[in-house]
Amino acid sequence: MGTLFVDKLDPQSGTSLEIGSSGDTITIPSGATITNNGTQTGFGGTNVNLFRAYRNGNQTIDHSTVTKVQLNAENFDVNSKFDSSTNYRYTPASTGYYYLSAQASFSSNGSSGEEFRRLYIHIYKNGSTLVRKNLQFKDSGGDIILHYSVSVDTIDNSTSTDDYYEVFVEQNNPNGANNGSVVGGAEYTYFTGYKLIT
């Protein structure tokens, strides 16, 4: 094997330069550094299955009832993996690791005894809680909640093309009132995610 010592390679004609042939392996040794000051194509990666869905309009949440958030609008859904009209779920249909993040903004009707004492948000995977976060005050006396946002995020390994993800919430109040709401709006109640490059 010979060694070629040069400081720069330019094409003999035209503007394209090819290194090696089909089937060859080009090896960059340990300790070497590649510096790219131009445009790269054909390597690296793209975060596919990227989406962001949100709730358009308030949604009533009953007392102590785990309820699916009907995320009925989208900011974007690059590969059409989110169902915002029927099941309100994300089905990436491609195995791998996914970043998922959700937020729900809650609002009580403000009546005495109907302010929130507990708020929950879940990301479900295939019908069961994958991860959740909650806000809880003591059952009597002390502070109570009129309006609050709760968020949760995680990374999950999807091992089946049938895996799907949804957002569920729950509210609890002293009077057992069924008139709490998840607040609509892209800035208030949303679900977003994408496949990680690994």
Side-chain angles (χ1 to χ4, degrees):
M1 181 178 65
T3 302
L4 176 66
F5 293 96
V6 295
D7 293 319
K8 183 179 180 182
L9 292 176
D10 278 321
Q12 183 178 11
S13 62
T15 57
S16 296
L17 180 66
E18 182 176 319
I19 300 175
S21 300
S22 177
D24 291 347
T25 298
I26 310 299
T27 301
I28 308 298
S30 175
T33 300
I34 298 176
T35 301
N36 175 30
N37 293 318
T39 301
Q40 62 91 8
T41 58
F43 62 95
T46 302
N47 294 115
V48 297
N49 297 338
L50 174 66
F51 81 99
R52 189 180 194 275
Y54 64 94
R55 172 65 193 176
N56 182 25
N58 290 1
Q59 178 181 342
T60 300
I61 306 298
D62 288 348
H63 169 76
S64 290
T65 303
V66 180
T67 304
K68 184 193 293 189
V69 180
Q70 297 177 1
L71 298 158
N72 55 359
E74 298 173 354
N75 297 109
F76 47 82
D77 186 7
V78 174
N79 299 104
S80 300
K81 300 300 184 182
F82 191 85
D83 175 3
S84 59
S85 61
T86 306
N87 291 313
Y88 312 107
R89 65 176 54 161
Y90 175 50
T91 309
S94 174
T95 59
Y97 290 91
Y98 285 82
Y99 173 76
L100 304 166
S101 177
Q103 175 177 290
S105 292
F106 296 84
S107 179
S108 74
N109 68 2
S111 298
S112 178
E114 297 184 6
E115 305 92 340
F116 302 128
R117 290 211 183 275
R118 298 184 186 90
L119 299 173
Y120 304 84
I121 184 171
H122 308 243
I123 295 177
Y124 270 39
K125 178 180 181 180
N126 301 333
S128 300
T129 296
L130 173 67
V131 62
R132 82 171 192 174
K133 185 178 286 186
N134 64 284
L135 180 71
Q136 180 173 339
F137 285 83
K138 59 186 180 181
D139 289 333
S140 62
D143 295 328
I144 47 182
I145 312 162
L146 291 176
H147 311 283
Y148 204 83
S149 295
V150 185
S151 61
V152 64
D153 62 275
T154 191
I155 294 174
D156 185 60
N157 181 18
S158 174
T159 58
S160 169
T161 56
D162 294 327
D163 287 340
Y164 62 91
Y165 302 90
E166 303 160 298
V167 176
F168 282 75
V169 295
E170 182 181 355
Q171 63 92 358
N172 176 283
N173 63 84
N175 282 1
N178 292 326
N179 53 10
S181 295
V182 165
V183 179
E187 69 273 40
Y188 294 116
T189 300
Y190 58 83
F191 186 26
T192 188
Y194 53 87
K195 187 176 184 178
L196 296 170
I197 302 169
T198 56

